[in-house]
Structure formats: C-alpha cells, structure tokens
Amino acid sequence: MLDYITDKVQDENRQGEAFAPFATDPNQYRKLFYIESYGCQMNFSDSEIVASILNKEGFGATRNFEDADLVLLNTCSIREKAEQTVRKRLTEFKKVKEAKPGMLIGMLGCMAERLKSKLLEEEKLVDLVVGPDAYRTLPGLIIEAEGGQKAVNVLLSREETYADISPVRLDSNGVTAFVSIMRGCNNMCSFCVVPFTRGRERSRDAGSIIRECRDLFQKGFREVTLLGQNVDSYYFVDEVKDEIVTFAKLLEKVALISPLLRVRFSTSHPKDITDEVLHTMAKYENICKYIHLPVQSGSSRILQLMNRTYTREWYMAKVDRIREIMPDCGISSDIIAGFCTEEDADHKDTLSIMEYSGYDMSYMFFYSERPGTLAERRYKDDIPDDVKKKRLQEIVELQGRLSFASNTKDIGKTFAVLIEGDSKRSDHDWRGRSSQNKVIVFPKESYRLKKGDYVNVKVTACTQATLLGTIIN
Ligand code: 5AD
Ligand code: SF4
C-alpha cells in the first residue's frame, strides 16, 4: 500500500560526505558501530548525538553493517508500515549475527520506547533497547549486553535535551545541518503516538543552540534547520541573562550569527505560530521564507476529533496572515486521508483547503491506527483500506497539480540559491535550494563556484518536483 510520499527535505540533506566521521583505518577505533535511521528529521539528528556518545567511548562509524561490532537502528513508530520495515531489517541483521556471534544489535528511538523489552524478551531480535531520552546510558548498556545481560533503558525524562553534546555529523553535505532545539510534544493529537514515545515537551538551553549554530557556521555550514515537534512553543528562561527566549527571539538570535547563514525550522503547529514569528521571518533576509504548516484535514469536524484545536476557518485565516506578512512565503503541509468517521464531504474539505492554501509540497499519508493513542481508545478505525487508498490518491494527484502550478509561477523569476552539491543526474549541474525550499538544478557553466556558495539563478523551466534554471551574473 502507498503509505508515505517522499520526504524531500530529508533526501536532499543526505547527500555528500564531507564531514562524515567514518573510520578509514579499522584499527583507529576500539570497535565499530553501524547506525541506520528511520522516520523524522529528529531521529536523524538524534543519531548524530548517539554517534557523538559512541565516538567518546572509542567506537568508530562504519557504512557496512557486516563489519560492525554494534548495529543500531534508530526507529520510528508513527505508522504501522514504519514498524514493519524495521522488523524486516532486524531479521536481516539477525541472520548476519548468527555468523558473527559477538555482534550486538540495538534498537533506539520511538519503537524502542513503544515496545520496551518485548523485542528483546519475546522475539529475541535485539540485545539492547534504548529509548530517546536514555542515550547517555548507552556505554553502560553496551557493557551489560556484552556480558549477556538484558540491556534496556526506556525511561523518559522531563529535562533531557542533550544540550551539552556536540553532534557528530553523519553523512553530512557540509552545507546544511539540523539543530535540535526541543524534545517531546505536549499536544496530544489523537492519531499520534509521539507524545507517548518522546515524552513531555522541553526546550533546550538557548545559549547551547546558538553556540552549536555558530560553530557550524565557522566550519563552513551555510544553513541550519531548527528542529522540534512543535517549534513555536519553544520557551526558555535564561536565568543568567535574566531573559525569556521565545521561538521568535531564538530565530532572531540565530539569524544574527551571520547574514550568510540561512535559518529554517520545522515543524510549526498552526495554533502556535505567532505574528511575532512571522514578523521576525519577514525582517531577516536569511530566515527562509518557508513554513511547514501541517493541516492534517480540511474538515472542522475531523480536526476536532483529531484534537488539533483549530477549525478550517482558523487555519485559512493563518494562511492569509502568512501571505499578508510574507507574500513570497512557501507553505507545505502534512495530510492524513481516511481518519476515523471521515466522509466524502470531509475529504472534499481537505481537497478544497489544499487548493485554498496552494501548498508547494505536502507529505501525505493514510491514517494508520496506533496502539495507545487517544484515537485508538475512543474511535473506530472505520474507513476501509480501498477508500483510504482512493482518497489518498486524489490528494496526491491534487498536490501534484498544485506543486506544478506553484513551480510554473516561478518561471522567469530569479532566486538566491544556496549550492548544496552536484545534481543527482549530472556532475555538470549544481543542485541547491531557494529560500522557499524549492530545489533548483542549473548548469555549472564555467563559473568557479563551490558547495556552500550563494548564486542568483533565473528559472527557465520546471517539473512537479524541481525548478530548472541558469546562473545570472
Ligand atoms: N497515521 C497516519 N499519519 C500519521 N501522522 C502522525 N500520526 C499518524 C497516523 N497515526 C502524520 C501526521 C504528522 C506526520 C509527521 O505524520 O500528518 O504530521
Ligand atoms: Fe504528534 Fe500532534 Fe505532537 Fe505533531 S503536534 S508530534 S502530530 S501530537
């Protein structure tokens, strides 16, 4: 079943290798670890924290899991399909382990938190189970597992933000990086398992965020994406400076590091994004004009069942406000097809709010019932799979038309593009992104440019997913 439609941001950030701390000499490290990440950007960011913790313990990273002493899967529970993928992968790892008995297999992330010791005790698929707030205890857990004990830590924390741990950039392109600014979520959307797997919301020390971003800039990075489940509720009281740092204030502080450092953020909850944030975005050229503003559904009745705390009209007014303050702002969305009790009329409301918002891009999903969520306890998952599939298909097709229309409107315009690397198809072309987060591919010609440079590109043609252009002097 078609369940998950391409994660553009993620793919585009998993390209180059400039800062990868992978072991070149196998004897350089005490042991080797292999880590594979699934799901949201937060998981990829967490894997970089884990890599840092392991590096300090003398573990080097390897790209080949057969060479590893420790194989880790950083897992996602958001939809059933994500969990099935991980289970399949674990069975593959288990086969390799049979020929290499000393190898340890560990499960990290949301699935570890959700299933706790089940995969260790009942199915014997893993040796270690570590939840998202327990990564500091990994070294001790590895020793326990090496000694044949059950190594499990799934304690959630109200304070842990890993603020003092400098992430080791895995598979980085050396230009763009994710910076985690908060953890957990207090929202309780009824379909969502995240509040149960990632715990209560907490904001990371603002000073440590600024230091990490400044350090990235000094190392040559030119774009940071501030990450959180709900960034607009970022709130930090700096007792030393006697200052309250809201998300708008944090954005401003990061933007002031350098005009050459682009700032992005994800994800915004429509109920929490403030005018102060929108005005701060408008004020600084280097804060990208792009908001990921998940709508989930266009029907007020369904939104209420989803516990999203806004109505259709309220969301539309938010889109109006964004366009009023930043007419050139890109907007994208997450959409769920076939939530409990959804009727054709609700589905039509979703299609029409997509048209109204004119999304440049969306992540589109079937509703997948998750154990323990409010929706699982209160409502019946009553929409048949074929109806979910048909509705999702309509949503995907409409988004295709909207993306193409949005890209077509850009033909003839010139954008400042941050070069991220060679295009996927040809090393004669560069690939970069506009402030609005659109991918632009253009010939290198004879200009002496490099990754991390900014260049003005005039758009000459487009597809649904990409703008094509030429460099303007
Ligand atoms: N079923 C389908 N999609 C889901 N999402 C979250 N939970 C579910 C679920 N149970 C989607 C939402 C969210 C995105 C990260 O994943 O659209 O914004
Ligand atoms: Fe899940 Fe809603 Fe929190 Fe997003 S805001 S992580 S959808 S509960």
Side-chain angles (χ1 to χ4, degrees):
M1 241 203 281
L2 183 68
D3 171 64
Y4 182 74
I5 313 294
T6 172
D7 187 331
K8 191 162 104 188
V9 183
Q10 219 160 301
D11 285 344
E12 289 306 322
N13 278 290
R14 306 283 137 199
Q15 298 285 323
E17 308 195 345
F19 284 77
F22 288 93
T24 40
D25 168 8
N27 299 321
Q28 184 184 357
Y29 291 101
R30 190 164 67 84
K31 288 197 165 162
L32 293 179
F33 76 95
Y34 170 89
I35 190 161
E36 213 169 87
S37 311
Y38 292 85
C40 65
Q41 289 151 3
M42 190 64 97
N43 258 10
F44 284 79
S45 175
D46 279 1
S47 292
E48 298 184 333
I49 301 274
V50 169
S52 173
I53 293 169
L54 291 176
N55 257 186
K56 286 212 175 68
E57 291 296 308
F59 279 81
T62 171
R63 282 205 171 77
N64 185 1
F65 73 81
E66 277 133 349
D67 296 341
D69 304 286
L70 174 66
V71 174
L72 298 171
L73 253 77
N74 197 350
T75 61
C76 170
S77 285
I78 200 114
R79 283 166 289 276
E80 198 184 343
K81 178 105 176 286
E83 290 201 353
Q84 282 165 359
T85 311
V86 167
R87 275 176 188 274
K88 238 175 79 198
R89 198 71 178 126
L90 281 175
T91 332
E92 285 166 26
F93 289 152
K94 207 176 166 199
K95 273 198 207 115
V96 176
K97 186 183 153 104
E98 274 157 16
K100 195 181 172 186
M103 180 193 250
L104 292 179
I105 300 178
M107 184 161 62
L108 315 176
C110 289
M111 217 173 141
E113 193 61 49
R114 199 179 81 71
L115 297 172
K116 307 208 164 31
S117 54
K118 195 167 167 259
L119 287 182
L120 196 149
E121 284 166 0
E122 290 169 27
E123 303 178 41
K124 307 225 178 323
L125 278 175
V126 295
D127 307 291
L128 279 136
V129 178
V130 193
D133 286 346
Y135 297 145
R136 281 182 206 269
T137 65
L138 253 169
L141 292 167
I142 293 168
I143 294 169
E144 280 177 31
E146 282 171 344
Q149 293 176 53
K150 286 174 194 160
V152 183
N153 188 349
V154 289
L155 286 177
L156 287 173
S157 154
R158 282 179 180 257
E159 285 99 35
E160 181 62 273
T161 59
Y162 301 110
D164 56 313
I165 296 181
S166 301
V168 163
R169 305 288 159 189
L170 293 162
D171 278 333
S172 166
N173 60 11
V175 179
T176 59
F178 294 118
V179 175
S180 161
I181 64 163
M182 58 202 299
R183 300 180 72 82
C185 182
N186 284 357
N187 277 327
M188 290 300 200
C189 299
S190 64
F191 51 78
C192 187
V193 79
V194 168
F196 305 97
T197 58
R198 288 194 161 264
R200 306 290 292 172
E201 181 182 291
R202 66 223 96 123
S203 296
R204 177 179 167 191
D205 178 313
S208 77
I209 298 171
I210 306 300
R211 280 195 295 280
E212 186 176 331
C213 294
R214 198 178 289 134
D215 182 52
L216 284 165
F217 181 70
Q218 278 160 3
K219 287 186 171 132
F221 283 80
R222 290 295 173 261
E223 183 183 292
V224 289
T225 302
L226 307 181
L227 282 186
Q229 238 50 257
N230 182 13
V231 289
D232 301 282
S233 60
Y234 179 87
Y235 185 86
F236 183 76
V237 183
D238 190 331
E239 280 160 9
V240 181
K241 291 189 184 153
D242 192 21
E243 184 188 20
I244 288 173
V245 188
T246 59
F247 181 58
K249 288 261 157 52
L250 182 73
L251 263 183
E252 179 162 53
K253 283 174 188 285
V254 181
L256 285 171
I257 290 173
S258 166
L260 288 178
L261 180 69
R262 276 188 170 177
V263 190
R264 299 186 186 277
F265 54 90
S266 188
T267 294
S268 293
H269 194 300
K271 79 173 162 55
D272 291 322
I273 189 163
T274 58
D275 270 10
E276 196 196 357
V277 167
L278 300 181
H279 286 302
T280 307
M281 289 177 74
K283 183 170 164 193
Y284 294 95
E285 175 95 30
N286 58 329
I287 303 183
C288 291
K289 304 297 175 279
Y290 168 67
I291 303 178
H292 184 56
L293 196 73
V295 68
Q296 313 295 0
S297 167
S299 149
S300 292
R301 185 181 71 82
I302 296 292
L303 285 168
Q304 190 170 13
L305 294 182
M306 287 177 161
N307 199 23
R308 288 292 287 180
T309 71
Y310 54 82
T311 60
R312 170 185 176 84
E313 290 71 28
W314 199 94
Y315 184 94
M316 288 158 102
K318 194 54 93 179
V319 169
D320 292 346
R321 190 76 183 132
I322 294 169
R323 302 246 184 259
E324 193 183 319
I325 296 173
M326 290 173 287
D328 63 338
C329 191
I331 305 182
S332 61
S333 193
D334 290 346
I335 299 165
I336 299 177
F339 188 66
C340 315
T341 80
E342 187 185 77
E343 292 178 2
D344 267 335
D346 300 307
H347 171 60
K348 295 242 155 58
D349 281 347
T350 296
L351 296 175
S352 69
I353 210 164
M354 289 174 69
E355 299 246 21
Y356 185 88
S357 309
Y359 297 129
D360 299 293
M361 197 265 294
S362 289
Y363 301 112
M364 299 158 279
F365 317 99
F366 286 114
Y367 171 58
S368 161
E369 187 178 76
R370 306 311 292 130
T373 55
L374 245 64
E376 188 249 358
R377 283 180 279 141
R378 280 195 201 154
Y379 317 120
K380 195 161 164 254
D381 180 12
D382 59 351
I383 308 302
D385 276 358
D386 58 332
V387 176
K388 285 184 182 173
K389 194 172 177 183
K390 184 171 156 282
R391 288 181 187 161
L392 180 62
Q393 204 50 49
E394 283 174 26
I395 289 169
V396 170
E397 277 163 20
L398 173 57
Q399 185 54 57
R401 291 198 293 280
L402 293 175
S403 298
F404 190 66
S406 161
N407 286 353
T408 306
K409 265 201 266 170
D410 287 340
I411 294 175
K413 291 185 196 162
T414 299
F415 293 94
V417 174
L418 173 61
I419 301 178
E420 289 178 16
D422 288 348
S423 99
K424 280 179 194 159
R425 294 231 179 102
S426 155
D427 57 11
H428 297 295
D429 293 340
W430 288 119
R431 188 199 73 251
R433 269 182 295 153
S434 67
S435 173
Q436 289 75 10
N437 207 35
K438 289 190 183 174
V439 175
I440 307 193
V441 172
F442 51 97
K444 293 181 178 177
E445 299 179 47
S446 53
Y447 297 98
R448 297 173 73 102
L449 291 162
K450 57 185 184 321
K451 277 202 307 187
D453 285 344
Y454 288 95
V455 61
N456 287 324
V457 178
K458 185 170 182 177
V459 177
T460 51
C462 71
T463 67
Q464 248 181 44
T466 315
L467 300 176
L468 307 170
T470 50
I471 295 173
I472 296 287
N473 246 328

